[in-house]
């Protein structure tokens, strides 16, 4: 690994033990990946928070133990200085307000809150969402980042044109303290070219359509880079957020191009950058139907939990849900949780959306989601969700049955207690 003089000084401990341990980690990690050097980063989105029972024993010794062990992979316990890179906390396991509803122990909530203050004073911004790009962390095209969370990474690379691999708790912990990350993978221009063409034979329009397309592409593409042709109408943040999250859950897609829409290619040719097209897929009505059916893991029409907001909802999605629930009541056998970043929740509160959702019997959750927290309302057997990602993970993680559909299908299920969705 070739290090600059400043990096060598950090490695040798001239800038303190925490940076020395961070550099040790980055060099080990980079060498394992075949990286020849590090690249400067000033944008880190990681998981620093202590919110799980397994962390409790470490946190009781002090927060510096948590950071040293879990964010620096270090046996040596180091004092944690202020972060040098702009850094934010991604989603956590606990909603700081609705923890009782989640069935979380008060001791764990106290631990999360104490850890947040410890980290916040050191420069980790407590966005507490999987969509940092919705609440103020919007890297510019070409910016080198160190982000975790697959749905955020694919948005960062593809829609924003910034550059990141899917990092981990340790590498983001080290990057935040040093402003460095190994230079490999999606940091390198040549690795960002398309590999496969996906030709669309049908119009992809609403959020559910984009979720289905993403899920299909993830399954057929795996970890390659799709280039989409013929998407029709201009997608927005909400649709691309759902598309990317789905593609990153059924497969390991970390980047895609939609020529003329995403920033790194104006044409199909530019998206491939002279590379040979490895394969072509066609997506039509048959593929859409098959993907829809694959996402239904329930045969039981009676639902008891509706999960909306994966990835975390935008303010427009909150407005739509509030509009659908205005002057209505959800079924007495059903629980409805709507997830949005805490910063957006504040806006939704001021706009009156939260009151409408609450009056209808729903709960607005922030900071977390059921797939991350692994907590559902007690007794949940059948869920309904508008997210292909949540429909993919929740049955596997928690053993529930699941329905996937549009927002209006899910709101209808919340109101009637029955799944009536159709493709
Ligand atoms: Fe975000 Fe949880 Fe979905 S982390 S993308 S709401 S599974």
């Amino acid at each position: 690994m070739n290090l600059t003089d400043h990096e060598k000084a950090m490695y040798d401990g001239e800038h303190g033990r925490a940076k020395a341990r961070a550099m040790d980690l980055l060099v080990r990690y980079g060498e394992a990946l075949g990286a020849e050097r590090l690249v400067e980063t000033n944008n880190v989105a990681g998981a620093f928070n202590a919110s799980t029972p397994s962390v409790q024993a470490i946190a009781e010794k002090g927060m510096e133990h948590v950071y040293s062990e879990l964010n620096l992979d270090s046996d040596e316990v180091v004092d944690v200085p202020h972060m040098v890179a702009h850094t934010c906390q991604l989603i956590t396991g606990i909603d700081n307000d609705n923890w009782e509803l989640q069935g979380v122990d008060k001791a764990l909530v106290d631990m999360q809150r104490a850890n947040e203050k410890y980290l916040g004073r050191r420069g980790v911004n407590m966005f507490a969402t999987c969509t940092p790009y919705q609440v103020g962390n919007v890297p510019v095209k070409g910016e080198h980042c160190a982000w975790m969370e697959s749905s955020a990474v694919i948005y960062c690379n593809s829609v924003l044109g910034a550059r990141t691999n899917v990092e981990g708790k340790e590498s983001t912990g080290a990057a935040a303290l040093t402003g460095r990350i190994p230079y490999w993978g999606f940091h390198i221009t040549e690795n960002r070219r398309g590999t496969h063409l996906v030709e669309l034979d049908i119009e992809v329009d609403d959020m559910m359509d984009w979720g289905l397309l993403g899920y299909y592409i993830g399954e057929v593409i795996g970890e390659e880079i799709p280039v989409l042709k013929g998407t029709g109408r201009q997608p927005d943040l909400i649709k691309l957020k759902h598309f990317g999250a789905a593609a990153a859950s059924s497969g390991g897609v970390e980047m895609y191009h939609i020529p003329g829409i995403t920033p790194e290619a104006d044409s199909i040719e530019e998206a491939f950058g002279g590379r040979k097209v490895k394969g072509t897929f066609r997506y039509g009505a048959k593929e859409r139907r098959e993907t829809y059916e694959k996402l239904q893991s329930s045969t039981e029409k009676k639902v008891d939990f509706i999960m909306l907001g994966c990835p975390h909802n935008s303010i427009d999605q909150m407005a739509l849900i509030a509009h659908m629930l205005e002057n209505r009541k959800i079924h007495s056998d059903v629980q409805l949780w709507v997830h949005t970043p805490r910063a957006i929740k504040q806006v939704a509160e001021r706009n009156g959306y939260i009151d409408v959702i609450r009056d209808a019997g729903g709960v607005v959750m922030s900071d977390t989601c059921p797939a991350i927290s692994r907590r559902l309302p007690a007794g949940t057997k059948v869920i309904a969700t508008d997210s292909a990602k949540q429909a993919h993970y929740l049955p596997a993680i928690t053993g529930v049955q699941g329905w996937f559909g549009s927002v209006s299908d899910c709101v209808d299920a919340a109101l009637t207690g029955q799944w009536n969705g159709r493709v």
Side-chain angles (χ1 to χ4, degrees), residues 145-270:
C145 302
W147 282 25
M148 289 175 66
E149 168 47 39
S150 62
S151 71
V153 164
I154 189 170
Y155 195 92
C156 181
N157 277 322
S158 315
V159 184
L160 304 177
R163 300 182 172 208
T164 183
N165 295 301
V166 178
E167 295 298 344
K169 214 171 153 76
E170 300 82 358
S171 58
T172 49
L177 288 178
T178 59
R180 298 291 189 279
I181 198 73
Y183 183 68
W184 71 289
F186 287 104
H187 291 288
I188 300 170
T189 302
E190 294 71 54
N191 296 340
R192 300 173 65 82
R193 313 278 192 225
T195 60
H196 291 72
L197 185 66
V198 181
E199 293 186 322
L200 274 63
D201 293 336
I202 50 172
E203 190 174 350
V204 182
D205 187 13
D206 63 11
M207 195 183 94
M208 185 174 100
D209 273 346
W210 279 94
L212 288 170
L213 176 63
Y215 200 80
Y216 166 80
I217 286 180
E219 280 209 309
V220 297
I221 292 276
E223 296 182 354
E224 303 275 11
I225 304 176
V227 177
L228 278 63
K229 184 180 172 195
T231 49
R233 295 170 66 173
Q234 166 84 37
D236 58 11
L237 177 152
I238 299 170
K239 292 168 187 172
L240 294 182
K241 170 165 77 80
H242 274 257
F243 169 75
S249 52
S250 59
V253 182
E254 295 172 40
M255 169 136 199
Y256 60 86
H257 298 279
I258 308 178
I261 290 174
T262 54
E264 295 191 30
D266 282 333
S267 65
I268 301 276
E269 294 67 36
E270 199 182 350

Side-chain angles (χ1 to χ4, degrees), residues 36-65:
E36 290 175 1
R37 68 175 177 94
L38 304 175
V39 64
E40 284 188 38
T41 178
N42 194 21
N43 191 319
V44 178
F48 305 89
N49 221 332
S51 60
T52 57
S54 59
V55 179
Q56 218 162 357
I58 311 172
E60 274 161 15
K61 292 187 260 172
M63 293 307 174
E64 65 280 12
H65 288 254

Side-chain angles (χ1 to χ4, degrees), residues 97-130:
D97 293 337
N98 288 306
W99 54 273
E100 275 176 288
L101 212 57
Q102 286 183 286
V104 180
D105 224 45
K106 176 76 164 55
L108 276 186
V109 182
D110 291 343
M111 179 173 80
Q112 170 160 300
R113 287 181 177 156
N115 194 238
E116 285 181 352
K117 290 208 164 49
Y118 176 88
L119 293 164
R121 286 197 304 273
R122 286 160 178 78
V124 181
N125 294 311
M126 287 299 149
F127 289 168
T129 175
C130 50

Side-chain angles (χ1 to χ4, degrees), residues 27 43 46 81 86 107 130 132 144 192 261 278 289 317 341 343 375 414:
V27 168
N43 191 319
H86 292 302
C130 50
H144 293 282
R192 300 173 65 82
I261 290 174
K278 283 192 195 171
R289 166 159 287 285
Q317 291 175 284
R375 295 173 194 278

